[in-house]
């Protein structure tokens, strides 16, 4: 997590009503290997899925508004900020699949002392530095298939207008006053610290660097005034802060007694001036947090706080790293109460990433660069590993060996190979044409019920933000599909001919329907892979983009539907390992050769 401290898919269901030209279609009668016949009349030709248009979510339903932090631009994005945003994107994509209007907000926080210092160190100006780093975030989000709807920069003029209006409302409510402050200040956190929370030598517990003594004349927000109101809010709404152990942290902070905090700086020029006092600039949280609201004012000629609020506030979910939990779960709600605005519905604080069991840091030389991971292994692999292997809410660790093993086992083998070998058998024995509907193929077969139960589990996990468990449930669908394939051994049944071959052809339809369902259920996590699977199953891009969660129901594939020619949808990451040859006294190192990223362009599905 990196902030200070550290179509809609249509609201309607399209169950496939493609133009005939949208699928690869053979008008000639179905021709099969001559050693067996089907009881049904193959001259029926191709039958296609018919989509009924069904409204999933009422048009007047309030939107699902999801935010990442606004990332601090003192340095380019790292894997922590990428992780937060990948998780947010998976949640946004799932909500769109449910038919909801989603407003996914991300952006950059561009004011403050550290920004000016970083720009100076690079021989640049703060505006040029901010432009450069903000663009690097946008470029990475594109590479990671992030389907955000709003990207707000705190240097945008509309943001400044919203901040000043908000400030004035709080001032009019009597919650801003001027005073001297003398205390220990962490430059990296941009926050005054309580001595009781510091480590030895007055070191910040987050950055492990000594805090400096500062005395300033600033404006303060009367946070202490809202202690009782915050306590009551958390008692009445225990789901406001998640996971539950984060709620315990927040309640502990509040019970220990809230102190008013500084909201301006006299020594910082790079920021938004305090209304009616240009000697001070608005500081940190009275600036950056308002980006969640100013992002909603895109279409306004004259930015207005209440108009922005009416465009989607309150947020359904703030997704943040645990290091800024206090600011989002204590400071921000109190600020909103003072301004007379609604509180966000939920604040979710996730954990940190480590590498090989160690905290990442430039001084340790073990940083994890998201651009490097994407270049080497591909977008789907990066997204899947971090969402599958890190229990959402807890800390998680990255090791390259485990990354490669997990991605190969799950995406290349369990999902990709299942599709590829099934399409290969279909091409060899059925000319790549489905002989029956998937509903007919699965009649009287408990396998269908097993798949649908796992899909229901995945949905529940997605809804509960249990992203790792959602991935696990979807992967289990792939596991049961592979087990079914191995048990039925259709390659042997085809050789037997007659009724055995008919059964084998039905088995292939069942397996391909299973993979189709996997593609939709895994779409929030691996959108590009899901599209490549759907393309292999003979669907058009428009059909894929119109898919919703309803399409995880069994029965999508229809008899006569033509599959694409089989080719791998996810290439294995090949590992070449050479060990010391003691007999010859030759020692060579280990090298990893990445082939995980497919050559074709990976489009942003559903963006």
């Amino acid at each position: 997590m990196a902030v200070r401290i550290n179509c809609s898919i249509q609201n309607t269901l399209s169950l496939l009503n493609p133009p005939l030209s949208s699928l690869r279609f053979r008008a000639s009668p179905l021709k099969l290997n001559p050693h067996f016949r089907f009881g049904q009349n193959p001259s029926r030709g191709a039958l296609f899925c018919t989509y009924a248009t069904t409204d999933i979510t009422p048009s007047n339903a309030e939107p699902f508004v999801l935010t990442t932090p606004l990332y601090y631009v003192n340095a380019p994005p790292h894997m922590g900020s990428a992780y937060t945003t990948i998780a947010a994107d998976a949640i946004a994509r799932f909500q769109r699949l449910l038919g909801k209007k989603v407003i996914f907000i991300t952006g950059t926080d561009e004011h403050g002392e550290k920004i000016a210092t970083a720009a100076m160190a690079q021989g640049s100006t703060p505006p040029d530095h901010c432009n450069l780093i903000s663009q690097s975030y946008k470029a990475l989000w594109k590479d990671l298939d992030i389907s955000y709807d709003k990207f707000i920069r705190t240097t945008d003029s509309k943001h400044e207008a919203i901040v000043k209006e908000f400030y004035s409302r709080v001032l009019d409510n009597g919650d801003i006053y001027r005073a001297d402050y003398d205390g220990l200040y962490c430059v990296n956190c941009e926050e005054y610290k309580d001595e009781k929370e510091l480590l030895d030598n007055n070191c910040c517990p987050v950055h492990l660097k000594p805090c400096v003594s500062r005395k300033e004349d600033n404006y303060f927000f009367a946070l202490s005034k809202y202690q009782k109101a915050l306590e009551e809010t958390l008692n009445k709404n225990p789901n406001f802060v998640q996971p539950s152990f984060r709620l315990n942290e927040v309640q502990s902070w509040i019970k220990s007694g809230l102190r008013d905090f500084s909201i301006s700086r006299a020594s910082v020029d790079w920021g938004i001036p305090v209304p009616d006092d240009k000697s001070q600039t608005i500081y940190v949280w009275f600036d950056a947090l308002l980006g969640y609201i100013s992002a909603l004012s895109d279409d306004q000629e004259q930015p207005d706080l209440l108009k922005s609020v009416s465009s989607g506030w309150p947020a359904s979910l703030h997704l943040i790293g645990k290091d800024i939990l206090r600011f989002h779960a204590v400071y921000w709600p109190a600020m909103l109460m003072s301004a007379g605005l609604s509180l966000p519905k939920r604040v979710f604080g996730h954990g940190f990433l480590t590498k090989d069991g160690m905290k990442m840091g430039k001084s340790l030389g073990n940083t994890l660069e998201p651009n490097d991971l994407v270049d080497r292994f591909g977008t789907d692999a990066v997204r899947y590993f971090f969402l599958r292997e890190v229990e959402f809410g807890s800390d998680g660790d990255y090791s390259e060996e485990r990354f490669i093993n997990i991605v190969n086992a799950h995406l290349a083998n369990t999902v990709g190979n299942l599709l590829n070998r099934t399409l290969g058998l279909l091409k060899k024995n059925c000319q790549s044409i489905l002989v029956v509907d998937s509903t007919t193929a699965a009649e009287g077969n408990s396998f269908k019920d097993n798949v649908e139960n796992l899909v229901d589990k995945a949905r529940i996990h997605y809804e509960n933000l249990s992203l790792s468990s959602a991935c696990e449930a979807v992967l289990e669908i792939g596991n049961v599909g592979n087990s079914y394939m191995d048990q039925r051994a259709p390659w042997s049944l085809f050789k037997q001919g007659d009724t055995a071959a008919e059964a084998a052809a039905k088995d292939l339809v069942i397996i391909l329907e299973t993979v189709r369902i996997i593609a939709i259920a895994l779409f929030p996590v691996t959108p590009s892979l899901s599209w490549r699977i759907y393309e292999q199953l003979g669907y058009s891009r428009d059909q894929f983009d119109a898919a919703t969660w309803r399409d995880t129901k069994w029965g999508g594939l229809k008899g006569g539907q033509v599959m694409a020619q089989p080719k791998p949808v996810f290439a294995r990451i090949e590992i070449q390992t050479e060990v010391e040859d003691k007999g010859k006294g030759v020692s060579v190192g280990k090298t990893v050769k990445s082939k995980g990223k497919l050559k074709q362009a990976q489009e942003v599905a559903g963006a």
Side-chain angles (χ1 to χ4, degrees), residues 196-238:
K196 63 184 179 182
E197 65 180 300
L198 299 178
L199 305 177
D200 293 340
N201 299 319
N202 292 327
C203 283
C204 168
V206 176
H207 295 97
L208 306 179
K209 293 181 179 179
C211 295
V212 296
S213 179
R214 281 191 179 180
K215 184 176 181 179
E216 286 189 328
D217 172 26
N218 299 139
Y219 290 96
F220 284 76
F221 172 68
L223 178 65
S224 57
K225 175 180 173 180
Y226 292 90
Q227 175 149 346
K228 185 175 180 181
L230 289 169
E231 289 176 348
E232 291 177 351
T233 296
L234 295 180
N235 288 334
K236 292 179 181 178
N237 184 11

Side-chain angles (χ1 to χ4, degrees), residues 146 185 278 303 382 529 541 549:
I146 305 300
Y185 183 79
K278 293 185 178 180
V382 173
L529 173 61
R541 182 70 199 208
W549 190 263

